Amino acid sequence: MTTTTQAAMDAAELMSFEDAIETFEPVLGFEVHVELNTASKMFSSAPNAFGDEPNTNVNEVDLGMPGTLPVVNGKAVESAIRLGLALNCTIAQRCRFARKQYFYPDTPKNWQTSQYDEPIAFDGFVDVELDDGEIFRVEIERAHMEEDAGKLTHAGTSGRIHGADYSLVDYNRAGVPLIEIVSKPVTGAGSRAPEIARAYVSTIRDIVKGLGISDARMERGNVRCDANVSLMRPGAGVFGTRSETKNVNSIRAVEHAVTYEIRRHAGILSAGGSIVQETRHWKEDTRTTSSGRVKSDADDYRYFPEPDLVPIVTTPQWVESLRAELPEPPAKRRRRLREAWGYAEAEFRDVIAAGLLDQIEETVAHGASPAVARKWWMGEISRLANARDVEPAVLGVEPATIVELNDLIQAGTINDKIARQVLELHLDGAGAPAQIVQDRGLEVVSDDGALAAAVEKAMAENPDVVEKVKGGKFKAIGALIGPVMKETRGQADAGKVKEIVLQKLNMNSS
Amino acid sequence: MAPTPDSLIRLTAAQMSAKLRTGEITSVELTQAHLDRIGAVDETINAFIHVSGDEALQTAAAVDASRAAGGAEAEQLHPLAGVPIAIKDLIVTKGQPTTAGSKMLQGWMSPYDATVVEKIRTARMPILGKTNLDEFAMGSSTEHSAYGPTRNPWDITRIPGGSGGGSAAAVAAFEAPLALGTDTGGSIRQPGAVTGTVGTKPTYGGVSRYGAIAMASSLDQIGPVARTVEDAALLHDLIAGHDEKDSTSLAEAEYPEGRIPSFAEAATTKNVAGLRIGVIKQLQGSGYQAGVLSRFQEALDQLRDNGAEIVEVDCPSFDYALGAYYLIMPSEASSNLARYDGVRYGTRVLPESGPMTIERVMGATRAAGFGDEVKRRIILGTYALSAGYYDAYYGSAQKIRTLIQRDFEAAFERADVLVSPTSPTVAFPLEDKLDDPLAMYLNDVATIPANLAGIPGISVPGGLSEGLPVGIQFLAPAKEDARVYRAAAALERLLNDNDEPPLWAQVPALEEVTR
């Protein structure tokens, strides 16, 4: 880099996003790493588990001990094929692993076993749904299998290996199966580039989650995105120099990082500078990127075919049987469910955001109406989950319980308010809803005599309300329900109360 | 009369096995006799890097106890139970150090056993210790060991071959009846040839490589070292088989008859009538010592006289085998040896001055931990795999490898087995070729093609030239290891009929020359 370029870079300020898009055409590219949730690692029998004591989920293979050999995890290969199919890729009939060689202490053998010129899946696409429902197609170049590296923790102020007082290495993650999904360059995104980036990563996450091949938790690094950004002048026909932003570990961060890089590139380019091809690190706190390793095409990983592994052969029968069992693509499923349930767009979006699509679908499958299912999950269950500081999906409410509660309401055995109490008791371990109702005598008062007496008492104590009702203000009956509930310790059915009031006044509500 | 310790160690492994079974001798006596022999001669020979006497005697005593218990416990003993063995120090052993002949792994203890070692332990063979080798198996003379050179029992001023000179010398000097070796380009067969012992490189995938410290993954194979063909076959039978920890190991179903044949049974062959033996045109003539060629010719005559059909086969691509080998082997080695960086295990050397960065610690460790030959091959391999050179070097070498495989296929159309001298020369003097790597590499010219093609090969003694052993190599198609045992066993018998006592018994009395 020349000094003038450096000076121009330093001097350059971020351009506003609007101006940047006005002046340049952004080109995006994504490398998404998906950590598989297989029981064991990619090439060893050690457990694939997150969060354990450092260097406990390792064996001699993971530590690259002399004499050890890798063995391919068949389940991981199956996951890779299924993901490849879900990304509309061609599945290679024969593919190999290769050694990607570089010296770094998080890599026990000083090479990463990956796939180079023979990926298991290639030439696919994924349709991404944007906020306004528009579909944008991202072409997939390849999806290949590889192993994760260990985790380094650098002590000292630098936060990097250089300048650290010392570095700690945990090889629990070394050898965890990964699939890297590489997109083709995404052009024509224009001002929607950040939104497309977010939607793309979100879609990939939903796909792997739907396939059940990964825990897909971005905060744990199960899905990691490297976002490439470059800018070109409209009509230039040649891509600009790209930067590769790593550690973008949330859906929102992908959008912010792409926005930031577009603005940064535009600032440098319009100040006469040039972009350095480099790795950049995303910093969530400042929502900026910072310069990492300068990367060039001259990086020489000395790839060669892994001689310790035999080629992987995928028979057409195997691939077709996996294709036949693929779940419905997330976008398609969402459209189908939204139509079937008749939710308003905003309602549906809230359900997605709350992560309750599966729960509601299952509740409906158990016999609840879509409206009832949504009312419970988005209402009381979300409230309880919030109070207990957990995600509603993992609160511990079974769809069958909701249906049981709803049946009790429909049968007039309990009312809504009691039902909420029952749910809370159920969560605290008091048993099944019907059992709780029976054990605690929570049935609605159905003894007409007792209820009629309570209503009469309430009417006698509230003559003004009775007058209003007589005058045709049926809504005023609500003011009588409270006292009746009090009298019956909450076990009255509001509809029934209304019926009795009208009966006594020789009126009907129709 | 009870055998004396000195006569015990001169038995074949098969004879030891028989005498143990009948109770004529005990494993403790047998093991102790070998430990005594090691104590007497190994200061001179330096075949062992580590001797594990206590462990060996414990195993021996346990075998003797099982034998004494009689009944099912005695009957279930493996035929080789109680027969001691030495293990090349490239093969990892739990509870004993494994150095690979390198300073890099000085003091390193493997946390696991190699699959072959598990099999040895299951068969309850006392492990005498770990044998010397060229560092990381890189060499043809065992002079490139960080633990000093091994000497040839036939002439202690000469090399025992390499890289498995320790295993071959131990067996030749009666320090062990059997040993394990590894063969990447001839490291079992060439030491066998120059020490008058038998060594087999099995079909690639025939024996699990799990726990054999890798030099070149696509070429390495573990195999048996012995004094007789039958003994080698007995050990081969024990270590052969599929291993789920080695993806490149062969399943039984992949063998011609859906099972791995008994090599010991193949080694009982007495005649060669009708056997078609192909003489490889490219593996004789110039570069081969006259004495070696004479013994080779005599062996052919013997085979022909006894009914074998001798044909000449042409393998033109063999002229490029050495060149291809010296690209593929260092390429894979440069990668396999990348793990020795001082971060996780083994030697760590800190830079003497300057900043203490991870790269500099790795650099200082590798500079101090590796010897010159290892560095030479790492540099060669790193270069061959570099961007822009890959196709010209590694890529071209792989094409030659394919051509060599085709040459073999064509040759095996015309012959059941192929034959050649194992090594172009007899054992050369120590330090003779230490400064001339290319001359050293030429020792493996006849053994390398089998590794490149993944086929089995054996070296069997073919007599002496100027008092030093000459080896004859038989090769067979992949998974037809039984054929090399048949041919080698037949030749062994033919030569021993004329030559009493057997060649391996003619090793000079080492005590007399011990210094």
Side-chain angles (χ1 to χ4, degrees), chain B residues 341-366:
Chain B
D341 59 8
V343 173
R344 287 158 299 276
Y345 48 77
T347 298
R348 176 185 291 171
V349 176
L350 303 179
E352 281 176 13
S353 59
M356 201 68 72
T357 64
I358 186 72
E359 289 89 350
R360 297 187 78 246
V361 173
M362 287 177 173
T365 297
R366 290 166 69 81

Side-chain angles (χ1 to χ4, degrees), chain B residues 6-57:
Chain B
D6 192 56
S7 65
L8 272 185
I9 59 173
R10 285 162 201 276
L11 299 170
T12 66
Q15 289 167 334
M16 292 174 189
S17 167
K19 287 184 191 296
L20 284 168
R21 229 172 311 177
T22 59
E24 193 183 333
I25 58 172
T26 66
S27 178
V28 169
E29 285 169 345
L30 186 63
T31 304
Q32 189 60 58
H34 284 100
L35 291 170
D36 290 347
R37 176 70 172 177
I38 292 168
V41 305
D42 206 54
E43 205 167 309
T44 304
I45 301 296
N46 195 31
F48 285 85
I49 293 178
H50 175 79
V51 179
S52 49
D54 290 348
E55 191 199 305
L57 288 168

Side-chain angles (χ1 to χ4, degrees), chain B residues 362-429:
Chain B
M362 287 177 173
T365 297
R366 290 166 69 81
F370 288 140
D372 285 350
E373 181 61 24
V374 172
K375 286 178 188 164
R376 189 150 41 229
R377 295 193 192 192
I378 289 174
I379 291 167
L380 206 59
T382 304
Y383 186 78
L385 289 178
S386 295
Y389 298 100
Y390 179 93
D391 289 340
Y393 293 129
Y394 191 78
S396 303
Q398 290 292 9
K399 285 177 192 156
I400 288 170
R401 192 172 186 171
T402 304
L403 294 177
I404 287 166
Q405 283 163 355
R406 286 187 195 151
D407 278 359
F408 271 127
E409 278 164 26
F412 285 124
E413 293 279 308
R414 302 185 52 218
D416 303 309
V417 293
L418 305 179
V419 68
S420 77
T422 309
S423 174
T425 70
V426 294
F428 47 87

Side-chain angles (χ1 to χ4, degrees), chain B residues 27 86 99-100 102 157 273 319 340 352 431 456 478 506:
Chain B
S27 178
T99 67
S102 179
T157 67
D319 291 344
Y340 306 106
E352 281 176 13
E431 296 183 13
Q506 300 171 34

Side-chain angles (χ1 to χ4, degrees), chain A residues 203-216 355 358:
Chain A
T203 304
I204 296 287
R205 187 194 57 180
D206 290 349
I207 288 172
V208 299
K209 211 171 167 184
L211 291 168
I213 60 173
S214 170
D215 294 344
D358 293 348

Side-chain angles (χ1 to χ4, degrees), chain A residues 14 49 52 74 114 135 168 172 198 217 250 328 337 356 393 508:
Chain A
L14 296 183
D52 290 342
S114 180
I135 303 292
L168 298 171
N172 281 353
R198 164 167 55 80
R217 294 175 67 169
S250 78
E328 190 180 17
L337 292 177
L356 289 171
N508 68 55

